[in-house]
Amino acid sequence: MPRRLRRARISWRVPVEQQQNRRILLVDDNESIHADFRKVLQTDSALTAAVESAAASIFDEPVARRAPVAGFEIDSAYQGEEALARVLKSVERARPYALVFVDVRMPPGWNGVETVRRIWQVDSHLQVVICTAYSDYSWPEMIDELGESDSFVILKKPFDNIEVRQLASALVVKWSLAQQARRTMCDLQAVVRKQTRAVQSAHEETIYRLVRASLCRDAETGAHIRRTGLCSELLAASAGWPAERVDQIRLAAPMHDVGKIGIPDAILRKPAALTSDEYSTLRDHTILGARMLAGSTSPILRMAQEIAQCHHERWDGTGYPSGLAGEQIPEAARIVAIVDVYDAITHDRVYRKGLPESEVQKLMLAGRGTQFDPRLLDVFMSLLPEMQAIAQSIPDENGEEVLPEWCSTLSSL
Ligand SMILES: [Fe+2]
Ligand SMILES: [Fe+2]
């Protein structure tokens, strides 16, 4: 009796093939080519079973089963138009093909290159094998038609079965890896977005608290702060600023007077007129504010620093703290200078009443080219109805409520 032959048992594992999309579309006008491809590409589980059964009789014991070589799921199209329809349907059903074999010559319809160009418009992730004879398109001609891409290869006729099988196996793996890379990239982008939002919202909350701290000292209202941000935003946008900077000035403008935190109450809250020394101390709020905001890498805080430093400079050079003139004054500060004065004179303060609109216009125009940048003032005057609408939507009596509301709008940016 022959000595029993023993074989090591092969453990079961999930074949890599089962984790992949193995859907292939064959596009060829010749029916016999489809039959040939199917023979090469479809599963050989029947063959596997026959081999295992023969082995079992030789070894006289049940043979540990070999994982079958998985085949491909194959669909056929006989013209380019039909291929396009199938690809479209596969995408709609979220069952995309991984790979398409396309013949170049398929009369009377589109040729293979035209077919590929169109199906890539529907599904740009498809891997493509273009089947061609030597006399068909050259490689440079195909590049001309389809562009540089690592998603197509050329298979020269006549085909070699093993080459076809290897190409199919390699390209479906490539499709799956590319898909996995895209998913990973999406996940990473979501994480980055979430973390950026968290950092941004912490940053915005800090701004909010800084403004709030300055309001504890100053007689200004929260409504004034909010209106200054919105009116500066409107003026900057109308003056042609890019959207990103327009967003920044809405957040930066409310910090224009944060330096008042450092001014003594005896001056800040003095119910009578200030002496010249006291007035000189009050002016220092510009320098103090700029110092508080200096050194940041945040574009919002850098803009806020410029505004805090220069919002009392005048176009004619007679302002403070540095006597800058014209375009030496940062544009953000020139914008806030206009908006801040407009808001101050249109609203009541403890020491005076807000002026009527006709007086306001006269006063603002009197500052054209002396106190204010003439170009920006012209834009501002053309926006008066919108400025009034902002003022009406945020009256002083709602001042305490607008800051938390402002804070929540920051977080949505
Ligand atoms: Fe100020
Ligand atoms: Fe102000």
Side-chain angles (χ1 to χ4, degrees), residues 68-102:
V69 177
F72 297 90
E73 190 182 334
I74 295 172
D75 283 338
S76 286
Y78 298 89
Q79 287 288 293
E81 290 87 338
E82 187 190 351
L84 179 64
R86 282 193 175 274
V87 170
L88 196 59
K89 206 160 159 192
S90 75
V91 171
E92 282 168 1
R93 293 183 176 176
R95 293 197 69 234
Y97 294 105
L99 172 61
V100 183
F101 282 92
V102 188

Side-chain angles (χ1 to χ4, degrees), residues 13 23 29 42 45 107 114 135 145 232 237 291 353 370 381 403:
R13 63 184 170 81
R23 301 194 72 218
D29 59 327
Q42 277 181 328
S45 57
E114 175 69 6
S135 55
E145 291 281 331
S232 298
R291 248 185 242 156
K353 282 270 174 210
T370 51
M381 296 308 284
L403 278 180

Side-chain angles (χ1 to χ4, degrees), residues 4 10 32 88 93 194 232 275 282 316 325:
R4 281 190 173 179
I10 300 170
S32 67
L88 196 59
R93 293 183 176 176
K194 194 174 165 196
S232 298
T275 65
L282 179 64
D316 61 7

Side-chain angles (χ1 to χ4, degrees), residues 89-165:
K89 206 160 159 192
S90 75
V91 171
E92 282 168 1
R93 293 183 176 176
R95 293 197 69 234
Y97 294 105
L99 172 61
V100 183
F101 282 92
V102 188
D103 186 23
V104 169
R105 291 183 190 167
M106 295 185 290
W110 303 331
N111 66 33
V113 174
E114 175 69 6
T115 303
V116 171
R117 204 177 59 74
R118 292 189 185 240
I119 61 179
W120 267 350
Q121 288 170 353
V122 174
D123 182 353
S124 59
H125 304 314
L126 270 176
Q127 296 293 315
V128 170
V129 176
I130 297 178
C131 309
T132 174
Y134 287 100
S135 55
D136 288 315
Y137 282 79
S138 68
W139 178 254
E141 285 168 340
M142 284 200 191
I143 297 286
D144 274 354
E145 291 281 331
L146 299 174
E148 286 280 357
S149 171
D150 65 356
S151 294
F152 76 90
V153 293
I154 292 178
L155 180 62
K156 298 275 191 191
K157 293 176 180 175
F159 306 134
D160 175 273
N161 288 357
I162 293 177
E163 197 179 350
V164 168
R165 178 87 196 194

Side-chain angles (χ1 to χ4, degrees), residues 365-385:
L365 284 172
R368 187 180 188 280
T370 51
Q371 185 169 2
F372 307 125
D373 175 341
R375 180 183 65 86
L376 286 173
L377 186 76
D378 291 344
V379 179
F380 178 83
M381 296 308 284
S382 71
L383 295 167
L384 275 182

Side-chain angles (χ1 to χ4, degrees), residues 216-219 259-271 274 277-285 288:
C216 293
R217 302 288 326 285
D218 194 6
K260 286 186 179 171
I261 292 175
I263 304 298
D265 275 352
I267 294 174
L268 215 50
R269 295 173 178 256
K270 187 175 177 182
L274 299 180
D277 277 356
E278 288 168 340
Y279 192 56
S280 163
T281 304
L282 179 64
R283 287 173 163 195
D284 285 347
H285 78 275
L288 290 173

Side-chain angles (χ1 to χ4, degrees), residues 256-257 260 285-286 311-312 320 340:
H256 61 277
D257 272 340
K260 286 186 179 171
H285 78 275
T286 50
H311 68 282
H312 288 291
Y320 65 89
D340 192 28

